């Protein structure tokens, strides 16, 4: 686990995790300043099959807007980039990465131009990651 910005670990991409990250992002002057540099809103979404609740599809989204980035656990039909994959495979890869273990393939398939997306939001993404990375536990 990585310890940043939190006293107690939350479960990765749970509603509690989303709420905590959104609170940190909203309260950061550095994030706000970087967000104001965007020319428009950009959306990155995940659609993960075979989720932990009865195999349901799990949705994650990260909106990069001029008033700041926000996370949500809902579908994003307007996503600039959609990443699709198997929930367990993606979460396992994320957990191994966070723990500094040997990387494994996450199996994600990309719909959209991820390179252009990251070129547009890269600075804000880096600042947001620094501000809102929390200690997490992984449900795998």
């Amino acid at each position: 686990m990585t310890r940043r910005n939190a006293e107690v670990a939350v479960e990765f991409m749970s509603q509690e995790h989303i709420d905590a990250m959104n609170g940190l992002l909203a309260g950061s002057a550095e994030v706000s300043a970087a967000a104001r540099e965007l020319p428009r809103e950009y959306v990155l979404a995940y659609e993960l099959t075979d989720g932990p609740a009865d195999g349901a599809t799990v949705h994650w989204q990260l909106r990069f807007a001029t008033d700041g980035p926000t996370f949500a656990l809902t579908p994003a039909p307007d996503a600039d980039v959609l990443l699709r994959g198997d929930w367990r495979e993606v979460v396992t890869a994320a957990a191994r990465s966070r723990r500094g273990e040997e990387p494994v393939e996450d199996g994600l398939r990309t719909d959209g131009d991820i390179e252009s997306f990251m070129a547009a939001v890269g600075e804000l993404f880096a600042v947001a990651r620094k501000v809102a990375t929390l200690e997490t536990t992984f449900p795998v």
Side-chain angles (χ1 to χ4, degrees):
M1 288 183 286
T2 302
R3 185 183 227 28
R4 290 187 204 157
N5 298 323
E7 293 298 318
V8 178
V10 294
E11 185 174 290
F12 180 71
M13 295 311 283
S14 64
Q15 188 62 55
E16 181 182 19
H17 187 203
I18 296 295
D19 292 345
M21 289 188 299
N22 285 341
L24 291 167
L25 292 167
S28 169
E30 185 179 11
V31 168
S32 182
R36 285 192 301 271
E37 298 298 317
L38 293 177
R40 66 172 181 90
E41 179 177 86
Y42 296 87
V43 181
L44 174 66
Y46 287 78
E47 183 179 274
L48 306 177
T49 57
D50 297 322
D54 299 323
T57 299
V58 174
H59 298 275
W60 302 337
Q61 65 168 279
L62 177 52
R63 290 186 176 274
F64 294 92
T66 56
D67 62 346
T70 55
F71 286 90
L73 296 174
T74 55
D78 59 339
D80 295 285
V81 175
L82 177 61
L83 302 174
R84 292 188 168 113
D86 176 81
W87 179 87
R88 182 168 299 282
E89 197 172 347
V90 170
V91 173
T92 298
R96 291 180 59 90
S97 174
R98 182 71 64 88
R99 292 189 299 254
E101 297 175 3
E102 185 72 27
V104 295
E105 179 59 42
D106 61 18
L108 286 169
R109 296 173 311 283
T110 305
D111 293 337
D113 184 352
I114 191 72
E115 289 83 15
S116 294
F117 179 88
M118 289 307 294
V121 303
E123 182 180 335
L124 177 55
F125 183 88
V127 171
R129 177 181 239 172
K130 179 179 72 170
V131 167
T133 296
L134 299 168
E135 181 176 352
T136 56
T137 59
F138 289 85
V140 290

